[in-house]
Amino acid sequence: MTDISSSLPGLKEVFEDDFRIGAALNLDQIYGRDHEGLAIVVKHFNSISPENILKWEEVHPEPDRYDFEAADRYVALGEKHNMQIIGHCLVWFFQTPDWVFVDKSGKPLGREALLERMRDHIFTVVGRYKGRIHGWDVVNEAIMMDGSLRKCGWLDIIGEDYLVKAFEYAREADPDAELYYNEYDTEHPIKREALIRLIRRLQDSGVRVDGIGTQGHWFLDYPPIADVEKTIVEISQLKIPQMITELDVGVLPFYPVDSKMVDLSAFDPKTQKKYNPYPDGLPDAVQKKLAERYSELFATFLKHRDKISRVTFWGVHDKQAWRSYLPIRGRADYPLLFDRQCQPKPALGAVIKTALSRETG
Ligand code: GLA
């Protein structure tokens, strides 16, 4: 059973004149073990992102050890299918090992030593795929909800110009790669304004930022579509391309992300049901709401197709959706266009219909 046999057109054909359409790949897809998932990727997408394998902790797990096995395969896969290959991500507060910020005796590194470590990492990773990876998320998630820069090892030790340095090193490592800043919750005015100020500051320091990524980890009712649109319009003031980089629509109740990650089984049965209402499948009514939500999102992206260069889903099918294990482990979420059996959901049809029935002219 694969979607290949279905009569639906590929998303990449449907959006050919609008923007690239991408998906984040996991190890099973990169290694070709998830045959059906891979068939979906080949049919529907013309851009790929690595879900985890190019994050610091995966590609550079120890000071003197890089592990490029999966990343080499990922890049070869993209080349084989003539896809745009994205790198994610170079400098982030998360999924970065603790050793990065300390010396051999466990003492915090000084500014120069950490800059050197950052430069080595960027040169080694970006350099290895020079001319093959089209664009990199250079810095991920540097801004807090109150508009301040996130406290993290990079900021504490290097200072605010860690972002400038990261972009400079990446530019030097591959002058032809596109370099992006990637962020979530940009629908919140304070965070969005901080983002725009930050990019302007980078530009004033002589840094060329080639694109802004809005992650797009959204919900059925949140954020309101008007806020999604406002974000696209406001970011376009920067006059550089923007991308929706990690799109998915969670159907489960929100659980405060900043609280500690928990296991579903840690809750009493009533709370379990509240936070995991669809353990055995998505009811038709919710399936329909998901399709409607995707339809309004893509109608908005199409309306602003002149500002958007790529829309990437964070995953191929629901079986791999991170939202089923973060921030609560053990839930069943349904955020993507293909279900756990790799079959198209009504949301896929809705996205295609939105594209094909758009108003032209
Ligand atoms: C962030 C990161 C991604 C991924 C998602 C979901 O948005 O940018 O790499 O980790 O969270 O976990």
Side-chain angles (χ1 to χ4, degrees):
M1 271 209 315
T2 96
D3 153 68
I4 281 293
S5 61
S6 97
S7 57
L8 292 171
L11 291 170
K12 66 182 177 193
E13 273 89 47
V14 165
F15 293 109
E16 195 175 8
D17 297 329
D18 307 307
F19 32 70
R20 290 261 177 181
I21 188 98
L25 307 191
N26 67 9
L27 273 182
D28 285 340
Q29 289 144 4
I30 291 166
Y31 278 82
R33 298 187 290 251
D34 175 6
H35 298 287
E36 298 187 340
L38 197 52
I40 292 173
V41 175
V42 171
K43 171 171 174 175
H44 288 280
F45 300 105
N46 52 20
S47 175
I48 51 174
S49 297
E51 195 177 339
N52 284 303
I53 51 133
L54 277 168
K55 291 175 180 170
W56 195 309
E57 67 178 10
E58 298 282 331
V59 77
H60 189 181
E62 290 168 43
D64 298 319
R65 186 166 71 86
Y66 284 86
D67 181 351
F68 286 116
E69 204 200 303
D72 285 355
R73 288 214 178 213
Y74 163 74
V75 173
L77 179 74
E79 287 176 335
K80 178 174 170 204
H81 295 289
N82 200 19
M83 289 163 171
Q84 180 195 67
I85 304 165
I86 302 299
H88 169 88
C89 52
L90 297 171
V91 174
W92 191 20
F93 75 96
F94 197 51
Q95 292 185 265
T96 303
D98 293 341
W99 63 257
V100 173
F101 304 100
V102 294
D103 65 16
K104 282 205 176 86
S105 61
K107 286 213 285 299
L109 285 186
R111 170 181 158 93
E112 291 311 317
L114 186 57
L115 280 173
E116 197 182 316
R117 195 161 267 180
M118 181 203 266
R119 186 175 187 279
D120 278 353
H121 178 84
I122 292 179
F123 266 65
T124 307
V125 179
V126 175
R128 185 175 182 93
Y129 302 111
K130 188 169 180 221
R132 302 172 72 196
I133 287 196
H134 175 84
W136 282 95
D137 290 336
V138 177
V139 180
N140 197 25
E141 306 182 338
I143 304 169
M144 299 295 285
M145 286 301 260
D146 66 0
S148 64
L149 282 180
R150 180 187 297 278
K151 288 201 65 66
C152 63
W154 302 113
L155 180 69
D156 292 349
I157 296 174
I158 298 174
E160 291 196 9
D161 65 340
Y162 84 86
L163 290 110
V164 173
K165 294 292 181 192
F167 274 87
E168 283 177 0
Y169 297 152
R171 180 67 68 207
E172 222 184 306
D174 185 353
D176 296 328
E178 291 191 346
L179 304 182
Y180 313 128
Y181 177 79
N182 198 47
E183 191 54 88
Y184 70 103
D185 275 347
T186 46
E187 303 76 36
H188 290 265
I190 293 176
K191 194 162 176 182
R192 182 169 63 229
E193 282 154 24
L195 164 77
I196 293 170
R197 279 197 309 275
L198 172 68
I199 303 302
R200 290 216 162 108
R201 275 208 308 278
L202 289 174
Q203 292 170 330
D204 289 346
S205 325
V207 166
R208 194 181 91 212
V209 181
D210 298 311
I212 307 294
T214 288
Q215 292 185 359
H217 294 300
W218 292 320
F219 292 85
L220 285 178
D221 303 310
Y222 187 84
I225 195 68
D227 292 356
V228 171
E229 179 165 23
K230 190 155 198 292
T231 302
I232 297 170
V233 172
E234 297 274 310
I235 290 179
S236 74
Q237 294 170 31
L238 289 166
K239 307 243 179 303
I240 51 179
Q242 53 183 302
M243 303 143 300
I244 312 296
T245 50
E246 304 185 16
L247 180 61
D248 53 17
V249 176
V251 305
L252 301 181
F254 180 75
Y255 184 80
V257 186
D258 284 339
S259 50
K260 256 193 146 61
M261 199 174 125
V262 283
D263 225 276
L264 186 68
S265 57
F267 297 122
D268 62 64
K270 199 165 148 234
T271 316
Q272 284 191 29
K273 181 123 191 64
K274 175 178 166 207
Y275 282 116
N276 190 33
Y278 318 120
D280 306 317
L282 198 58
D284 288 349
V286 189
Q287 196 77 262
K288 190 161 166 265
K289 274 191 87 175
L290 182 70
E292 287 163 3
R293 176 65 159 163
Y294 266 115
S295 176
E296 70 173 9
L297 285 170
F298 273 87
T300 304
F301 302 155
L302 285 169
K303 182 171 165 197
H304 296 287
R305 58 196 277 280
D306 59 322
K307 307 173 184 66
I308 296 176
S309 58
R310 166 166 60 92
V311 178
T312 291
F313 290 87
W314 205 244
V316 178
H317 49 64
D318 287 343
K319 203 164 133 190
Q320 79 184 100
W322 69 281
R323 302 184 75 136
S324 296
Y325 56 85
L326 257 172
I328 303 179
R329 240 187 322 253
R331 298 202 288 179
D333 207 340
Y334 303 82
L336 296 164
L337 301 184
F338 295 86
D339 68 17
R340 282 172 173 63
Q341 285 72 44
C342 291
Q343 295 305 298
K345 292 157 68 177
L348 176 69
V351 168
I352 293 174
K353 190 163 161 231
T354 304
L356 298 182
S357 61
R358 77 182 79 181
E359 289 180 19
T360 49

